[in-house]
């Protein structure tokens, strides 16, 4: 675990700021059947009335929009998460190419606080465990913070979650850094997501994901996106495609990717793609 000096400084000044930003390092397995892991940075902004949780690329996009005034809305398939601190209701903004869906829930976590403790950067941490979304989780929290929050939807302990991981180490979050802002820092990307988002139940969202799996090229075939020699489709690996045979190959590769990298943090909500045969 990385040891830093920011924690003690943070504890002294935390109450004077309007936005408290926690930056977590995440090591995770996109494919649960593989030992290979990926790394990411997630930001948790705690504001007076709500929290924002987002991956670093959104912070970069938001900074560019603030500096240039140019409205940016990423087409990358990814998620944003906010929490109403008064109601404890979470809103997941799922960005799916040309659409934004809002999914609301109020997860209840029953924590078992253990006697075991350890020290991290001069902070005394205490262990807690819970069963959430199909996984067994181990958390280490600090009572020296005036918040009961953590990464993703983890919350409700008598202190800030500094580290949390599931017992099979598919997901491992570690707090790395924090910042304070004297004024409330509002992410423009969340404002854009609220304006564009459509609230739907999770059952419909799962159907939409399965529909995309069955036909990854629907947004092209429906005319939402025109693909030709002058307007090529750029893939995540940098390839550009536009020919029919290239598109058919993309469709097959995309279905294989969805089946392989199907290890969401909420395991009980994983889509059973293997049940569909094309």
């Amino acid at each position: 675990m990385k040891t830093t000096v920011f924690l003690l400084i943070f504890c002294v000044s935390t109450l004077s700021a309007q936005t408290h930003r926690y930056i977590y390092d995440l090591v995770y397995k996109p494919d649960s059947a593989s030992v290979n892991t990926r790394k990411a940075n997630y930001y948790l902004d705690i504001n007076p009335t709500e929290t924002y949780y987002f991956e670093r690329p959104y912070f970069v996009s938001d900074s560019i929009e603030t500096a240039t005034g140019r409205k940016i809305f990423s087409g990358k398939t990814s998620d944003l998460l906010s929490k109403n601190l008064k109601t404890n209701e979470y809103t997941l903004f799922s960005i799916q190419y040309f659409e934004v869906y809002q999914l609301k829930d109020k997860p209840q976590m029953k924590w078992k606080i253990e006697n075991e403790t350890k020290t991290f950067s001069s902070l005394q941490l205490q262990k807690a465990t819970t069963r959430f979304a199909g996984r067994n989780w181990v958390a280490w929290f600090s009572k020296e913070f005036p918040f009961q929050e953590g990464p993703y939807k983890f919350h409700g302990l008598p202190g800030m979650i500094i580290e949390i991981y599931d017992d099979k180490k598919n997901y491992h979050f570690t707090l790395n850094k924090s910042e304070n802002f004297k004024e409330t820092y509002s992410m423009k990307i969340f404002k854009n997501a609220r304006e564009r988002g459509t609230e739907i139940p999770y059952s419909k969202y799962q159907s939409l994901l399965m529909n995309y799996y069955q036909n990854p090229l629907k947004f092209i075939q429906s005319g939402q996106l025109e693909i030709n020699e002058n307007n090529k489709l750029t893939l995540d690996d940098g390839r550009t495609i536009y020919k029919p045979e290239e598109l058919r190959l993309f469709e097959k590769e995309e279905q294989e990717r969805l089946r392989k990298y199907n290890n969401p943090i909420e395991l009980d909500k994983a889509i059973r793609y293997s049940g569909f045969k094309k």
Side-chain angles (χ1 to χ4, degrees):
M1 181 183 296
K2 183 184 297 184
T3 302
T4 56
V5 297
F6 78 92
L7 290 171
L8 292 180
I9 298 173
F10 180 84
C11 290
V12 173
S13 61
T14 187
L15 293 177
S16 64
Q18 289 297 313
T19 293
H20 315 276
R21 172 169 291 168
Y22 295 83
I23 302 176
Y24 287 87
D25 292 334
L26 170 63
V27 178
Y28 68 104
K29 295 179 182 178
D31 178 4
S32 61
S34 172
V35 298
N36 295 328
T37 60
R38 293 181 184 174
K39 296 181 180 180
N41 294 111
Y42 277 87
Y43 289 49
L44 173 66
D45 283 4
I46 303 177
N47 292 335
T49 60
E50 67 181 336
T51 68
Y52 296 143
Y53 178 78
F54 51 96
E55 195 175 356
R56 176 173 170 75
Y58 285 116
F59 165 73
V60 175
S61 296
D62 200 80
S63 299
I64 293 173
E65 182 174 340
T66 300
T68 65
R70 181 162 55 93
K71 192 170 184 178
I72 295 175
F73 202 87
S74 172
K76 176 180 180 291
T77 302
S78 187
D79 295 332
L80 301 164
L81 187 66
S82 70
K83 176 186 177 184
N84 184 314
L85 290 174
K86 183 177 180 179
T87 64
N88 283 328
E89 182 179 63
Y90 285 87
T91 301
L92 179 71
F93 299 93
S94 183
I95 301 170
Q96 304 290 329
Y97 293 99
F98 301 99
E99 303 293 340
V100 181
Y101 302 107
Q102 298 183 25
L103 305 159
K104 298 181 182 293
D105 74 337
K106 296 177 69 172
Q108 302 296 320
M109 297 184 186
K110 296 182 179 179
W111 293 99
K112 179 182 179 183
I113 298 178
E114 311 284 354
N115 293 325
E116 187 176 350
T117 62
K118 67 178 181 180
T119 301
F120 168 67
S121 190
S122 301
L123 285 175
Q124 190 75 4
L125 305 185
Q126 189 167 357
K127 183 179 180 181
T129 57
T130 191
R131 174 78 176 175
F132 170 66
R135 302 185 193 272
N136 298 314
W137 295 91
V138 176
W140 293 90
F141 67 96
S142 171
K143 296 180 180 179
E144 297 181 49
F145 292 78
F147 305 113
Q148 298 184 358
E149 305 297 334
Y152 193 60
K153 298 178 182 179
F154 297 104
H155 70 284
L157 284 167
M160 192 74 190
I161 296 175
I162 306 302
E163 181 184 18
I164 186 167
Y165 48 86
D166 68 284
D167 59 354
K168 297 186 183 304
K169 296 295 180 70
N170 284 281
Y171 286 84
H172 191 151
F173 295 90
T174 305
L175 185 61
N176 179 27
K177 184 181 179 182
S178 71
E179 299 174 287
N180 294 326
F181 301 91
K182 292 183 179 180
E183 297 181 357
T184 301
Y185 188 95
S186 297
M187 292 285 293
K188 294 179 176 61
I189 192 70
F190 280 87
K191 180 177 181 294
N192 297 342
R194 286 193 179 97
E195 291 175 350
R196 289 186 51 178
T198 301
E199 184 178 346
I200 60 174
Y202 203 84
S203 57
K204 182 176 180 179
Y205 179 64
Q206 288 181 312
S207 296
L208 290 171
L209 293 181
M210 180 59 80
N211 288 340
Y212 173 74
Y213 172 78
Q214 294 172 355
N215 187 5
L217 296 177
K218 183 178 180 180
F219 63 97
I220 296 175
Q221 296 167 348
S222 64
Q224 289 178 284
L225 182 64
E226 183 179 355
I227 298 297
N228 52 49
E229 189 172 0
N230 297 319
N231 187 33
K232 300 178 181 180
L233 178 65
T234 301
L235 306 182
D236 289 341
D237 60 8
R239 287 180 295 160
T240 57
I241 62 175
Y242 71 95
K243 297 178 181 178
E245 60 270 21
E246 294 174 332
L247 292 171
R248 286 193 294 271
L249 179 60
F250 161 76
E251 184 176 44
K252 181 180 179 181
E253 289 178 343
E254 182 70 353
Q255 290 175 329
E256 291 175 348
R257 184 188 68 82
L258 289 170
R259 288 195 300 269
K260 181 177 181 180
Y261 300 125
N262 189 22
N263 189 29
I265 190 168
E266 294 191 50
L267 186 60
D268 57 359
K269 292 181 180 178
I271 308 298
R272 307 303 176 188
Y273 294 119
S274 59
F276 175 77
K277 302 295 183 181
K278 186 169 183 177

